[in-house]
């Protein structure tokens, strides 16, 4: 196995220090505040010197976004692995809980991924691959609940769209519809909680989140009232 040279180790260390400084900036003032000059000053180097490590602000943002998606996917997949022997509904609960806990533990990273777009920046398509990992973790336990069809046209669109990207995918239209439904429910509740919109409303956002998860599970099992 090849061993990294001292120069390579120092370069990797500087890149990680720069990304950590960038995340501190984002936590303090949002992603639009990101400044290579300010990062360089914090690290004791000039802003232009950072161009030896990142092509520019957008390159740095892309790495932070990719790191965030991967970290979130790792957290969700770890929760799924820990609950591998549980019933499908309990696996869904474990996955959704891990998603919310990750967001609340580092809201600045969550908002970098799912908040207001940074003006003048468009994330490359490859950054969403890890986001697909997160969604994919939910599909197996949803499929194990054997959901029925509720919206055939929409479900057909989901299935055909995924088939264009992955012809060998195993997921049915109802599973994909519920996966995306659960995805949007999680994002809706967690985003409002992270941004503080529930603060003055006098209820526990965690209970609202759990109610949405239970509603999703009930729909998947066909046990909804009414």
């Amino acid at each position: 196995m090849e061993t990294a040279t001292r120069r390579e180790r120092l370069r990797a260390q500087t890149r990680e220090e720069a990304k950590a400084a960038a995340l501190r900036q984002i936590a303090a003032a949002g992603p639009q505040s990101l400044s290579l000059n300010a990062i360089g000053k914090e690290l004791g180097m000039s802003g232009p010197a950072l161009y030896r490590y990142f092509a520019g602000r957008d390159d740095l943002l892309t790495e932070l976004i990719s790191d965030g998606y991967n970290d979130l996917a790792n957290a969700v997949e770890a929760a799924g692995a820990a609950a591998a022997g549980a019933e499908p509904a309990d696996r869904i609960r474990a996955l959704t809980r891990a998603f919310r806990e990750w967001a609340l533990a580092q809201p600045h990273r969550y908002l970098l991924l799912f908040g207001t777009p940074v003006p003048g920046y468009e994330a490359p398509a490859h950054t969403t691959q890890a986001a697909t990992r997160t969604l994919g973790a939910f599909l197996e336990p949803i499929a194990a609940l054997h959901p029925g069809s509720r919206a055939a046209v929409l479900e057909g669109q989901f299935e055909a769209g995924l088939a264009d990207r992955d012809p060998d995918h195993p997921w049915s239209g109802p599973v994909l519809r519920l996966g995306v439904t659960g995805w949007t429910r999680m994002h809706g509740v967690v985003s409002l909680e992270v941004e503080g919109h529930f603060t003055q409303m006098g209820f526990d956002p965690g209970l609202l989140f759990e109610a949405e998860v239970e509603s999703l599970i009930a729909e998947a099992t066909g046990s909804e009232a009414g």
Side-chain angles (χ1 to χ4, degrees), residues 69-70 72-73 76-77 114 125-139 162 165-166 171 176 183 187:
Y69 276 130
N70 278 299
L72 173 57
V76 170
E77 288 174 349
F114 304 115
H126 72 80
T127 61
T128 64
Q129 291 175 353
T132 303
R133 280 176 54 203
T134 302
L135 175 60
F138 290 89
L139 296 180
L162 181 56
R165 302 187 302 276
D166 181 9
W171 311 117
L176 292 170
W183 183 252
H187 280 305

Side-chain angles (χ1 to χ4, degrees), residues 87-134:
E87 293 296 320
D90 287 330
R91 296 205 298 276
I92 292 171
R93 293 181 183 105
L95 292 167
T96 55
R97 189 180 308 118
F99 181 94
R100 177 171 177 263
E101 288 174 350
W102 187 91
L104 296 181
Q106 38 198 347
H108 59 295
R109 296 184 79 192
Y110 176 86
L111 292 174
L112 176 63
L113 303 182
F114 304 115
T116 303
V118 179
Y121 171 78
E122 183 175 350
H126 72 80
T127 61
T128 64
Q129 291 175 353
T132 303
R133 280 176 54 203
T134 302

Side-chain angles (χ1 to χ4, degrees), residues 2-193:
E2 294 184 3
T3 302
T5 66
R6 182 173 183 274
R7 181 185 295 274
E8 290 170 338
R9 292 196 302 272
L10 288 173
R11 177 178 176 80
Q13 180 182 340
T14 300
R15 284 172 53 81
E16 290 305 311
E17 289 175 354
K19 288 196 286 186
L23 287 174
R24 287 192 290 273
Q25 281 188 15
I26 290 170
Q32 70 282 353
S33 69
L34 194 61
S35 164
L36 264 64
N37 286 331
I39 293 170
K41 183 177 180 180
E42 180 176 338
L43 299 185
M45 63 175 67
S46 67
L50 279 177
Y51 284 89
R52 296 200 298 268
Y53 302 92
F54 301 95
R57 185 208 67 162
D58 287 2
D59 182 43
L60 176 54
L61 268 175
T62 295
E63 290 213 23
L64 295 175
I65 290 169
S66 293
D67 289 350
Y69 276 130
N70 278 299
D71 194 37
L72 173 57
N74 290 341
V76 170
E77 288 174 349
E87 293 296 320
D90 287 330
R91 296 205 298 276
I92 292 171
R93 293 181 183 105
L95 292 167
T96 55
R97 189 180 308 118
F99 181 94
R100 177 171 177 263
E101 288 174 350
W102 187 91
L104 296 181
Q106 38 198 347
H108 59 295
R109 296 184 79 192
Y110 176 86
L111 292 174
L112 176 63
L113 303 182
F114 304 115
T116 303
V118 179
Y121 171 78
E122 183 175 350
H126 72 80
T127 61
T128 64
Q129 291 175 353
T132 303
R133 280 176 54 203
T134 302
L135 175 60
F138 290 89
L139 296 180
E140 187 276 329
I142 289 173
L145 294 175
H146 306 293
S149 178
R150 292 287 188 91
V153 173
L154 178 61
E155 291 165 357
Q157 291 176 354
F158 277 130
E159 196 166 354
L162 181 56
D164 286 342
R165 302 187 302 276
D166 181 9
D168 299 321
H169 79 84
W171 311 117
S172 69
V175 169
L176 292 170
R177 175 180 57 80
L178 279 170
V180 174
T181 297
W183 183 252
T184 58
R185 288 178 179 177
M186 283 195 305
H187 280 305
V189 175
V190 171
S191 293
L192 289 170
E193 181 179 9

